[in-house]
Amino acid sequence: MYIEMNAKEMSNIMNMQPQLDMDLENKYLLLTPGPLSTSATVRRAMQKDWCTWDQEYNSLVQDIRNRLVNLATSEPEKYTVVLMQGSGSFAVESVLGSAIPRDGKILIINNGAYGARMVQMARCLNIEVVELNYLETQSPDLQEIERVLEDKTISHVACVHCETTTGILNPIQEIGCLVKAAGKIWIVDAMSSFGGVPIDIAELEIDFLISSANKCIQGVPGFGFILAKRDCLEACKGLARSVSLDLYDQWNTMEQYNGKWRFTSPTHVVRAFYQALLELEAEGGVAARYQRYLQNQQTLSQGMQQLGFELVLGEECPQSAIITTFLYPTAKSFSFQSFYETLKKSGYVIYPGKVTDLNCFRIGNIGEVYIHDIEGLLAAIASYCESHLNQAVTA
């Protein structure tokens, strides 16, 4: 039923705009592995509407695709990129469901929640799976991987680069060498590392690399993307187990129609991502962003240990600059929910733990986050410890 607004109601709606502008400013910092805190300019980029058929918008999509390939490798002629609606998991499932033939078999190296999710996806898609399962706090065993790869029926291998369950950084260069020596297709879930950790996918001989808009490039949630060797992507034609997640068809449409998506695209998110790409370049590229993240992580790790918190990952495990996992303090009075709410009121949002058998929590170091933010967080945690845990601060 149509209801006509009176002048007062219309005036009230128009007067909301100043409040909406104020709401663009963050009330707290997201210290998570994504979604993460974005710049004000990225958020403001979403204030314009776009038509998915418009040439200006589709040219923007093509520019994004070109920039991503050039960001990923010094040999851009070998690679192409597909944008896929949905969260990063949608993009992962599109690769598994489109790149592996019906008689294919995949080895999945699993040492965390996101490796486990790939196993779940592959089995749901009726793909034959060999799973190498490790503890969440354990690096994959290269000798075991090499031994398993002697199985000639394995056609594909997949691994998560930065497993944000703990923050461990898996050795994709070493694993990739074994994969390619065995003649297999190499799939890397670089969801939480691409754009924040320097890698060249051509040097690493990665066939499919998957990431998301709302991670280290510092955009907002809404789509993932797949960087793929052109010949590997072309070989996916006709293999897809899904219409919406058909990787080849999505790519072919973008190629044939100058950046056009098959189905409705997240236009505002795409424009925000473009702005985020420009800001990454202005910062000095991936190498410069990595240094900022690394300084954030080192400052956080050192400060938390001085406050008496223990790291989950031991020295034998490569710690990423993306996210750090800490054990609960031993004080019986500690409550994660109380800790979380107190920090949130102070302007910081952290992440609960995801390790199966440990009471822990996680703090992300990525996004629009700088050293002074980490120092402010540490001060807030020190205050919490003194007032809630009755323990002196040693920092």
Side-chain angles (χ1 to χ4, degrees):
M1 182 172 64
Y2 175 74
I3 299 175
E4 186 175 354
M5 291 185 186
N6 60 38
K8 183 178 179 180
E9 289 170 330
M10 182 62 74
S11 177
N12 288 340
I13 290 175
M14 297 303 292
N15 288 336
M16 289 172 63
Q17 187 58 45
Q19 181 61 45
L20 291 172
D21 289 341
M22 289 177 62
D23 287 345
L24 280 173
E25 302 307 318
N26 282 332
K27 296 178 181 177
Y28 46 73
L29 202 65
L30 292 176
L31 296 170
T32 68
L36 38 67
S37 285
T38 56
S39 68
T41 42
V42 165
R43 295 192 297 277
R44 290 191 184 106
M46 292 186 287
Q47 291 186 298
K48 177 182 175 181
D49 297 324
W50 296 83
C51 173
T52 57
W53 286 90
D54 187 77
Q55 183 178 352
E56 182 183 4
Y57 173 72
N58 290 329
S59 294
L60 181 74
V61 172
Q62 291 294 71
D63 196 1
I64 287 172
R65 295 177 68 210
N66 290 332
R67 288 174 186 271
L68 283 172
V69 172
N70 285 302
L71 194 67
T73 181
S74 58
E75 301 179 55
E77 68 281 355
K78 293 182 180 179
Y79 284 85
T80 185
V81 68
V82 194
L83 311 185
M84 182 66 71
Q85 296 95 323
S87 71
S89 292
F90 284 58
V92 173
E93 191 158 346
S94 75
V95 173
L96 297 180
S98 300
I100 303 171
R102 296 300 192 276
D103 60 351
K105 183 176 178 180
I106 186 169
L107 166 63
I108 298 178
I109 299 160
N110 170 19
N111 62 343
Y114 300 97
R117 187 175 296 174
M118 281 200 286
V119 173
Q120 181 185 10
M121 289 173 179
R123 288 177 175 159
C124 184
L125 293 167
N126 292 317
I127 297 168
E128 188 175 357
V129 179
V130 176
E131 179 184 5
L132 281 181
N133 199 354
Y134 299 98
L135 297 175
E136 291 122 323
T137 54
Q138 182 183 6
S139 289
D141 184 328
L142 296 176
Q143 290 184 336
E144 184 178 22
I145 293 170
E146 185 174 23
R147 187 166 59 252
V148 171
L149 285 173
E150 292 174 2
D151 181 348
K152 302 298 184 184
T153 64
I154 292 173
S155 56
H156 294 67
V157 181
C159 181
V160 176
H161 185 202
C162 176
E163 180 55 82
T164 54
T165 304
T166 57
I168 194 170
L169 201 65
N170 285 323
I172 59 169
Q173 181 172 1
E174 292 83 354
I175 296 172
C177 288
L178 299 176
V179 171
K180 300 317 290 184
K184 318 296 185 182
I185 298 295
W186 182 211
I187 300 169
V188 175
D189 176 344
M191 202 66 59
S192 298
S193 59
F194 182 77
V197 177
I199 59 173
D200 187 314
I201 57 176
E203 288 182 6
L204 298 180
E205 296 189 88
I206 296 171
D207 298 299
F208 296 91
L209 180 141
I210 311 152
S211 193
S212 180
N214 59 294
K215 302 292 184 178
C216 292
I217 295 178
Q218 299 183 186
V220 299
F223 71 91
F225 54 89
I226 301 94
L227 287 144
K229 286 183 180 176
R230 284 186 171 271
D231 57 348
C232 290
L233 189 47
E234 288 168 354
C236 295
K237 184 177 181 180
L239 299 182
R241 294 163 174 82
S242 164
V243 173
S244 297
L245 299 180
D246 186 332
L247 191 65
Y248 173 84
D249 200 29
Q250 182 91 333
W251 171 74
N252 189 53
T253 300
M254 288 183 174
E255 289 285 291
Q256 297 299 319
Y257 297 98
N258 191 40
K260 178 74 177 67
W261 302 52
R262 291 179 302 155
F263 310 128
T264 303
S265 63
T267 53
H268 300 77
V269 172
V270 170
R271 181 59 184 84
F273 186 73
Y274 180 72
Q275 177 65 27
L277 277 172
L278 297 181
E279 292 179 12
L280 172 58
E281 293 170 10
E283 186 173 351
V286 176
R289 182 155 290 179
Y290 171 70
Q291 286 302 316
R292 172 162 64 86
Y293 289 169
L294 183 62
Q295 290 172 1
N296 287 345
Q297 195 281 327
Q298 291 175 341
T299 302
L300 173 70
S301 180
Q302 292 167 7
M304 289 293 283
Q305 289 179 89
Q306 288 173 347
L307 292 172
F309 289 88
E310 292 183 40
L311 297 167
V312 164
L313 291 180
E315 293 182 359
E316 71 281 2
C317 292
Q319 168 70 61
S320 74
I322 307 303
I323 192 168
T324 312
T325 308
F326 300 94
L327 292 170
Y328 283 5
T330 55
K332 293 183 179 180
S333 58
F334 179 78
S335 159
F336 175 76
Q337 193 59 36
S338 169
F339 184 52
Y340 175 88
E341 294 295 344
T342 301
L343 292 181
K344 184 177 178 180
K345 289 177 183 177
S346 299
Y348 306 96
V349 169
I350 63 172
Y351 232 41
K354 211 166 187 174
V355 180
T356 305
D357 298 321
L358 294 175
N359 290 322
C360 57
F361 61 90
R362 297 173 289 167
I363 301 178
N365 313 294
I366 63 176
E368 193 72 359
V369 178
Y370 298 86
I371 288 292
H372 67 269
D373 297 312
I374 300 298
E375 291 170 343
L377 170 69
L378 290 169
I381 293 174
S383 176
Y384 176 87
C385 291
E386 289 182 330
S387 60
H388 290 75
L389 304 184
N390 299 316
Q391 65 185 54
V393 178
T394 58

